[in-house]
Amino acid sequence: MSDTSVEKKEAGPPPDEPVTGDAEPEKRKREYKDFGHEQEGPTHVKVDMDQIQLTAEDLYDKEKVDLETIVVDDVFKLLQCTEEGLSAEEAIRRLELFGPNKLESEEQNAFLQFLSFMWNPLSWVMEAAALVAIALSNGEGSAPDWQDFVGIILLLFINSAIGFYEERNAGNAVKALMDSLAPKAKVKRDGKWLEIESADLVPGDMVSFKIGDIVPADCRLTEAINVSIDQAALTGESLPQNKKLGDQCFSGSTCKQGEAEGVVISTGPNTFFGRAASLVGQDDDTTGHLQKILAQIGSFCLVAIGIFVLAEIFCLYAGFRYQYRRGLDNILVLLIGGIPIAMPTVLSVTLAVGAQQLAKYKAIVTRITAIEELAAVTILCSDKTGTLTTNKLTIDRSTIRTYGAFSGEDVVLLAAYASRTENQDAIDSCVVGAIGDPARARAGIKLLDFKPFNPVDKRTEITYREESSGKLKRVTKGMTGIIIELCTRNKNDEIENQLEADVEEFATRGLRALAVAYEELEGEDPEAEGNGFELIGLLAIFDPPREDTKQTIDDAIALGVKVKMVTGDQLAIAKETGRRLGLGDHMYPAKVLKDGPAPGGKHATLDEMILDADGFAGVFPEHKYEIVKRLQGLGHLCAMTGDGANDAPALSRANVGIAVEGATDAARGAADIVLTEPGLSTIVHAIRGSRIIFQRMRNYSIYACAVTIRIVVCFAILAFAYKFDFPPFMVLIIALLNDGTIMTLSVDRVLPSSTPDSWDLQEIFAYAVAYGIYLTASTIALVSIIIKTTWFFDRFGVTLENGATSAAGNHNDRQLHMIVYLQVAIISQALIFVTRSHSFFFMERPSFALMGAFCLAQLVASIIAGFGNWGFTQIHSISGGWIGIVWVWNIVWFMPLDLIKFAMKATVIRWIRERHNKVVQRETADGVPMTRTQSRAASIHESMYSNRVSFIRRAARKVGFGQKVSMKPEELQRFSSIQAQRTGATLARNPSRTAA
């Protein structure tokens, strides 16, 4: 064991054991609790090693084969390799057999990726309209409606091209990130050491690594020189683990001390990390939260269109006896104008632009719809080690205990003397770091002898000459129980009682204890006995919180997000960290997740306990997964931060998985957002940024639904009331102008909410109906005045086609069509300024892009109105007088829109929210507070939208993110054995031709 074991073994008994402060009457041997784990000895394969052709069933039978624990010689036999490494030919063969040492990737066909933007119910309706225009509109001696067909196809391709472009850019950004993180490995091939890409490693390879290196694959050590491996990413504990010959090292762990060689037993997805990353793949919900929202918004629009299409079929054909082609054109108007065809693309572009903005805060988004879900997150479950804390041990100066004439600073300095200054382990590094300048650890002294830590003595020792006095002195530091036994000079019941009490106190606070003793030597012999050690101090070691973590937690709470610590470390350590961060120390051990709350306790149910807790300690991967799953079951959207393979299952299960800086490939593969900068402050920026993006999407959703209602209701009523036949091609022009303007919403200036957002679709649909009906009234009123009266003609001297001063005799005057086109185009786009603001529209300044696009679209619409005279469709240009009338008319009707918004808030929206609150109160009658996110239930065809809104999923898979390999949860605790055995099974079925 190494000094790291000292730290691990000095914390005393568990916090729930009583502290014994008084000595018993009979002298007893004091025991300082050892937190270590007993190591099982190596075993042999219980099969005939001459029969190397093992079956898969044999390899899965741990009674016969367990590559994790069998002797290394048997590993070499089973994997058909030697310490000289594989030959280049055999390495190539095994690379083809086992695949690369990285998460599997899959290529996305660019053409299919482009076409997939046209694969959702909204696009299907537009595609059906195109087929109607080209295939069904050629009756009664008329040619197919080529113009409408080309226009619809152009509209579809423009939307697909924009989404495709953004998707490819996002995918390339993720790929570039992963390429920059590609690791190297030192491997022996043909008896020579080479440096290759880690991806080229295969089972049976001999690899080498030293201090600071990342272990490139799961391996068994064949040589180990003072090796200490940091497996915090695996176990959640701060302490590196000492490794010896024959021990197993896991891919992605870090070598903190020494040098080692080993034989690779598992690579790629079959490693511990690879399997952890894909643990919950079989439970993956490919239909994300935003897809469900899209599906329901799409359903609303489709239902509205369907109702009025059916009404037109019955009314126009059965009632008015329309000819086939005339009725079909009216139906096309509803299909083309009512479908918010740009909705998937607009939301995708909004998310993609948002992802680029988050990248400025060093957050790489690997699943783009996670941005939307992050805005709605109500609970942030955070790992402790390396996430809330620095994963770097530190001396806690405020708790140093002294037992003699030396001060606390003296104790730290003497402990630094007794530490290595090069090739340090974690304990030596933190002790030397505590004195500020590492040079002080050897300043003013001459090193005569140094004994490094070893698992027998469990301490370090230095003998030195003090240059100022010339005296020989000796200092030792190490495990408390070992050090006190050496202290013959001041060892007595009082000191022992005090030391035991101090160690117990440290243990209850989650601090590790390190004892320091000192003695002087007579004469000049550095190997001579001293005058007896004297216990001089006790150092407390802990993993300190990051500097910005407390502020980050405070900011998250201010944003309405509750933070819970979920760590694999001990309960006492978790509570101490929670106290230091202001997170609270109301934490529970993981066993309560199985046992449930104590009878008669504060909590009646496990769910209530999980919601109330500040955190959980001693958790394994399945515990983290269970916590997240239960919180989601209560209606919460959860974010989970982590950095290691042990976090991967929960990262994958969470609505938003966040891999912090320095995370393993397994964690990055399971996460939706990857941080490339230390600390958690990025998460707060990401939450704020996601809420801005959410507001943009919500604003567009209200607008899109309102325009759908406005088009289908307006033109259906005009057709019923006046037999008004609006040309379908002009609806296409309106849609193109709208789409071009609305795309700029992705960069609009909006304010984030101060509480978690949620999609309350009842509110969105209520606003949409109110706005749509009002805008419908604006158009019908204008047409009615033109048809029923001569007021405009008399007042402003305008005329219609051929000088007509009334439309009473011709309800389908081509200039009247153009007037309606211009009125609908202008006020429909102007609606966005009302839906994007919470107060009066002029109180919240839009972005320059949105304002510029709106002005350009209105200029184009007015130019078309003034000069468009196209023979293939039923329109004719209008005079400047009519253009002015339409503009003034729209301005007059636009002004009350804000009043409608306020009236809706005070009546319908207030009623919806009060009813929702009553439902929540009924659901929480058992005392469990819950936050319900609206529209969690999926609609029938929600999966149809998954292609378009989860487009980064495919880009992520290209570079190895987000792999999903099925594995039963109960297999979790047998990870390493199973992976090693799989390697042997594959080789057994495919033996080397050169193998003996």
Side-chain angles (χ1 to χ4, degrees):
M1 299 177 70
S2 67
D3 273 8
T4 59
S5 297
V6 174
E7 180 192 2
K8 190 173 183 179
K9 294 173 178 292
E10 299 310 307
D16 56 351
E17 291 187 11
V19 176
T20 304
D22 300 325
E24 296 176 1
E26 182 179 347
K27 186 68 174 179
R28 62 179 175 85
K29 180 175 176 60
R30 298 172 187 274
E31 295 182 359
Y32 298 87
K33 296 293 184 180
D34 191 333
F35 285 169
H37 302 283
E38 294 298 325
Q39 297 293 327
E40 296 182 1
T43 60
H44 285 274
V45 177
K46 297 180 181 179
V47 295
D48 184 356
M49 290 304 295
D50 292 332
Q51 301 296 322
I52 206 69
Q53 301 292 336
L54 297 175
T55 65
E57 290 76 14
D58 288 335
L59 287 169
Y60 274 99
D61 185 353
K62 292 188 68 175
E63 294 299 319
K64 295 181 179 179
V65 179
D66 187 351
L67 285 183
E68 181 183 1
T69 60
I70 64 175
V71 295
V72 176
D73 287 344
D74 286 356
V75 173
F76 279 107
K77 290 180 182 179
L78 195 61
L79 297 184
Q80 306 170 16
C81 58
T82 69
E83 292 193 14
E84 291 303 309
L86 302 174
S87 65
E89 294 77 12
E90 178 65 7
I92 293 174
R93 187 186 82 89
R94 295 192 183 198
L95 188 62
E96 294 175 354
L97 193 61
F98 293 102
N101 181 34
K102 61 181 181 180
L103 296 180
E104 295 177 1
S105 61
E106 57 183 49
E107 290 295 329
Q108 175 69 24
N109 183 284
F111 180 66
L112 294 178
Q113 187 177 1
F114 175 79
L115 291 183
S116 65
F117 278 88
M118 303 181 192
W119 188 258
N120 61 69
L122 297 179
S123 295
W124 294 343
V125 175
M126 289 296 284
E127 290 153 12
L131 291 176
V132 168
I134 195 65
L136 302 180
S137 296
N138 57 350
E140 302 174 353
S142 301
D145 192 352
W146 288 101
Q147 295 84 6
D148 286 342
F149 173 78
V150 171
I152 293 171
I153 296 301
L154 181 63
L155 185 62
L156 284 168
F157 269 76
I158 288 175
N159 281 288
S160 295
I162 293 172
F164 175 78
Y165 173 77
E166 293 292 345
E167 173 175 348
R168 298 300 284 189
N169 280 350
N172 291 338
V174 175
K175 187 176 187 305
L177 168 70
M178 285 304 295
D179 289 344
S180 69
L181 298 175
K184 302 283 187 180
K186 191 174 182 181
V187 63
K188 184 182 281 190
R189 295 274 173 85
D190 294 316
K192 298 179 180 178
W193 288 104
L194 308 170
E195 186 175 70
I196 65 172
E197 297 281 348
S198 290
D200 295 332
L201 288 178
V202 295
D205 262 329
M206 291 297 299
V207 293
S208 171
F209 50 89
K210 60 183 184 303
I211 184 171
D213 290 345
I214 304 296
V215 178
D218 286 4
C219 60
R220 290 286 299 276
L221 297 185
T222 59
E223 184 176 328
I225 304 174
N226 198 27
V227 175
S228 180
I229 301 293
D230 182 359
Q231 296 183 165
L234 185 68
T235 64
E237 294 192 13
S238 311
L239 292 171
Q241 300 297 311
N242 186 60
K243 297 290 183 180
K244 61 183 183 299
L245 181 69
D247 283 352
Q248 185 175 16
C249 293
F250 295 109
S251 172
S253 53
T254 306
C255 181
K256 290 294 188 182
Q257 181 181 352
E259 299 180 4
E261 294 179 14
V263 56
V264 174
I265 62 173
S266 191
T267 59
N270 291 323
T271 61
F272 189 112
F273 282 10
R275 294 292 288 191
S278 54
L279 172 66
V280 293
Q282 77 280 2
D283 194 44
D284 177 51
D285 181 8
T286 56
T287 304
H289 187 243
L290 186 56
Q291 284 94 315
K292 296 174 182 179
I293 302 304
L294 267 177
Q296 293 177 71
I297 294 175
S299 297
F300 173 82
C301 296
L302 291 175
V303 168
I305 294 168
I307 290 172
F308 283 92
V309 165
L310 290 175
E312 282 202 346
I313 290 174
F314 285 109
C315 182
L316 302 185
Y317 287 116
F320 296 161
R321 304 295 178 180
Y322 268 21
Q323 295 297 316
Y324 170 73
R325 179 65 181 269
R326 183 181 180 186
L328 204 60
D329 285 346
N330 279 275
I331 292 172
L332 278 176
V333 169
L334 303 192
L335 292 178
I336 298 171
I339 290 294
I341 185 61
M343 184 172 67
T345 301
V346 169
L347 298 187
S348 296
V349 171
T350 301
L351 291 172
V353 171
Q356 296 175 13
Q357 293 171 343
L358 291 182
K360 297 178 182 178
Y361 296 110
K362 308 299 181 184
I364 304 298
V365 180
T366 63
R367 181 175 66 86
I368 204 164
T369 53
I371 298 175
E372 177 267 341
E373 295 182 42
L374 184 59
V377 160
T378 54
I379 294 179
L380 173 62
C381 296
S382 177
D383 181 49
K384 179 186 74 70
T385 306
T387 306
L388 297 176
T389 63
T390 63
N391 194 20
K392 184 177 180 182
L393 299 179
T394 302
I395 299 293
D396 188 356
R397 290 180 172 274
S398 65
T399 59
I400 295 176
R401 301 288 190 265
T402 58
Y403 304 98
F406 293 92
S407 67
E409 288 299 319
D410 293 335
V411 172
V412 174
L413 181 59
L414 289 173
Y417 287 167
S419 304
R420 285 190 178 205
T421 56
E422 296 179 356
N423 196 20
Q424 299 169 315
D425 61 18
I427 296 293
D428 286 351
S429 177
C430 79
V431 172
V432 172
I435 60 175
D437 182 4
R440 292 182 60 202
R442 293 294 180 264
I445 66 171
K446 181 179 179 181
L447 175 63
L448 300 178
D449 183 50
F450 186 87
K451 294 179 181 179
F453 184 90
N454 66 74
V456 177
D457 295 334
K458 298 182 181 179
R459 64 188 180 92
T460 63
E461 181 181 285
I462 184 175
T463 304
Y464 63 93
R465 184 186 304 277
E466 191 175 58
E467 293 180 350
S468 61
S469 65
K471 291 184 178 180
L472 268 59
K473 298 182 178 181
R474 186 176 289 146
V475 178
T476 184
K477 75 176 195 314
M479 181 177 175
T480 310
I482 298 294
I483 298 299
I484 190 61
E485 291 298 323
L486 299 174
C487 298
T488 57
R489 292 189 62 190
N490 66 341
K491 179 182 175 183
N492 54 50
D493 283 348
E494 182 181 354
I495 289 292
E496 287 191 273
N497 288 337
Q498 184 61 48
L499 177 64
E500 192 172 28
D502 290 340
V503 171
E504 295 281 1
E505 181 190 348
F506 284 1
T508 60
R509 296 182 55 187
L511 303 174
R512 320 286 189 174
L514 186 70
V516 184
Y518 161 89
E519 72 174 352
E520 296 183 355
L521 283 72
E522 300 293 338
E524 297 296 321
D525 183 6
E527 297 183 2
E529 291 290 333
N531 62 355
F533 277 109
E534 173 186 355
L535 180 67
I536 62 172
L538 193 68
L539 302 179
I541 300 175
F542 76 114
D543 181 15
R546 293 182 184 272
E547 292 183 358
D548 63 342
T549 299
K550 189 177 188 306
Q551 184 61 47
T552 298
I553 291 174
D554 292 343
D555 290 345
I557 293 173
L559 290 172
V561 179
K562 181 174 177 58
V563 182
K564 295 181 183 292
M565 182 194 301
V566 184
T567 177
D569 224 329
Q570 300 170 31
L571 181 61
I573 298 173
K575 287 187 174 184
E576 178 68 11
T577 303
R579 282 191 289 264
R580 291 173 183 259
L581 292 174
L583 187 62
D585 59 359
H586 191 197
M587 301 186 186
Y588 300 97
K591 65 179 182 180
V592 302
L593 297 174
K594 179 180 179 180
D595 301 339
K602 176 181 177 182
H603 305 109
T605 65
L606 180 57
D607 287 342
E608 186 178 344
M609 174 180 283
I610 290 175
L611 277 173
D612 182 57
D614 295 322
F616 293 89
V619 298
F620 289 106
E622 62 267 30
H623 295 139
K624 297 184 180 184
Y625 180 89
E626 179 70 15
I627 290 169
V628 172
K629 186 176 181 179
R630 281 183 174 273
L631 289 172
Q632 289 173 328
L634 292 172
H636 288 276
L637 265 66
C638 295
M640 170 75 187
T641 69
D643 65 344
N646 63 320
D647 302 320
L651 288 175
S652 180
R653 172 70 198 191
N655 299 92
V656 183
I658 304 171
V660 299
E661 188 269 341
T664 63
D665 286 342
R668 289 199 300 265
D672 305 308
I673 298 176
V674 179
L675 306 185
T676 60
E677 192 172 73
L680 293 180
S681 59
T682 301
I683 294 178
V684 174
H685 291 302
I687 291 175
R688 289 197 183 101
S690 67
R691 292 185 183 179
I692 290 174
I693 296 163
F694 182 94
Q695 289 300 317
R696 292 168 179 163
M697 292 191 295
R698 180 181 179 275
N699 296 342
Y700 170 73
S701 299
I702 296 175
Y703 170 81
C705 293
V707 168
T708 293
I709 296 296
R710 184 258 199 287
I711 294 292
V712 298
V713 176
C714 173
F715 288 110
I717 291 177
L718 288 176
F720 300 156
Y722 299 115
K723 296 184 179 181
F724 188 81
D725 302 327
F726 192 73
F729 187 81
M730 298 313 293
V731 173
L732 272 173
I733 298 297
I734 294 173
L736 281 170
L737 292 176
N738 278 353
D739 290 354
T741 301
I742 296 307
M743 289 294 177
T744 60
L745 275 179
S746 61
V747 293
D748 189 26
R749 189 196 320 272
V750 295
L751 298 174
S753 61
S754 58
T755 57
D757 289 308
S758 63
W759 287 97
D760 194 324
L761 294 182
Q762 289 182 323
E763 290 187 15
I764 290 176
F765 297 154
Y767 278 124
V769 170
Y771 295 143
I773 296 299
Y774 179 80
L775 295 184
T776 294
S778 73
T779 304
I780 293 175
L782 177 64
V783 173
S784 297
I785 291 174
I786 294 174
I787 291 177
K788 295 292 187 181
T789 73
T790 60
W791 188 79
F792 286 123
F793 305 94
D794 299 338
R795 184 78 175 176
F796 302 105
V798 293
T799 62
L800 294 177
E801 193 174 9
N802 299 322
T805 57
S806 173
N810 182 11
H811 295 176
N812 285 298
D813 185 281
R814 292 191 302 169
Q815 286 191 332
L816 178 57
H817 286 164
M818 186 66 87
I819 292 170
V820 171
Y821 151 75
L822 184 61
Q823 194 272 336
V824 172
I826 292 173
I827 201 166
S828 293
Q829 282 197 24
L831 176 64
I832 191 60
F833 296 108
V834 175
T835 63
R836 65 173 296 277
S837 61
H838 296 281
S839 181
F840 288 100
F841 76 91
F842 52 82
M843 298 292 288
E844 298 178 27
R845 182 165 62 90
S847 66
F848 290 112
L850 176 59
M851 197 66 200
F854 172 78
C855 293
L856 179 62
Q858 301 319 306
L859 177 62
V860 171
S862 298
I863 291 174
I864 291 175
F867 299 97
N869 190 10
W870 303 324
F872 61 83
T873 189
Q874 294 297 309
I875 60 164
H876 193 285
S877 57
I878 57 178
S879 64
W882 275 117
I883 294 175
I885 289 170
V886 171
W887 269 97
V888 172
W889 179 268
N890 282 337
I891 290 172
V892 170
W893 278 83
F894 176 79
M895 291 304 177
L897 273 171
D898 275 329
L899 300 180
I900 291 177
K901 176 171 60 183
F902 299 145
M904 286 291 294
K905 285 183 179 180
T907 56
V908 177
I909 302 303
R910 181 180 179 182
W911 175 78
I912 290 174
R913 291 179 178 175
E914 287 178 349
R915 189 183 66 169
H916 168 66
N917 291 335
K918 289 179 181 178
V919 172
V920 172
Q921 289 173 3
R922 285 199 303 269
E923 291 175 342
T924 57
D926 58 356
V928 181
M930 298 194 299
T931 303
R932 290 277 183 194
T933 298
Q934 297 299 307
S935 68
R936 288 293 291 167
S939 63
I940 295 174
H941 60 272
E942 64 192 19
S943 61
M944 301 301 180
Y945 293 86
S946 61
N947 274 344
R948 288 296 25 91
V949 191
S950 61
F951 59 77
I952 283 298
R953 185 186 301 276
R954 290 189 301 282
R957 285 177 180 165
K958 285 187 62 178
V959 296
F961 276 148
Q963 293 304 295
K964 307 299 179 188
V965 181
S966 177
M967 182 177 179
K968 295 180 180 179
E970 56 265 24
E971 290 186 273
L972 178 62
Q973 301 199 9
R974 305 198 298 130
F975 265 167
S976 55
S977 299
I978 290 175
Q979 310 330 314
Q981 293 157 17
R982 279 181 178 268
T983 298
T986 306
L987 276 177
R989 292 192 299 270
N990 301 271
S992 170
R993 291 181 293 275
T994 60

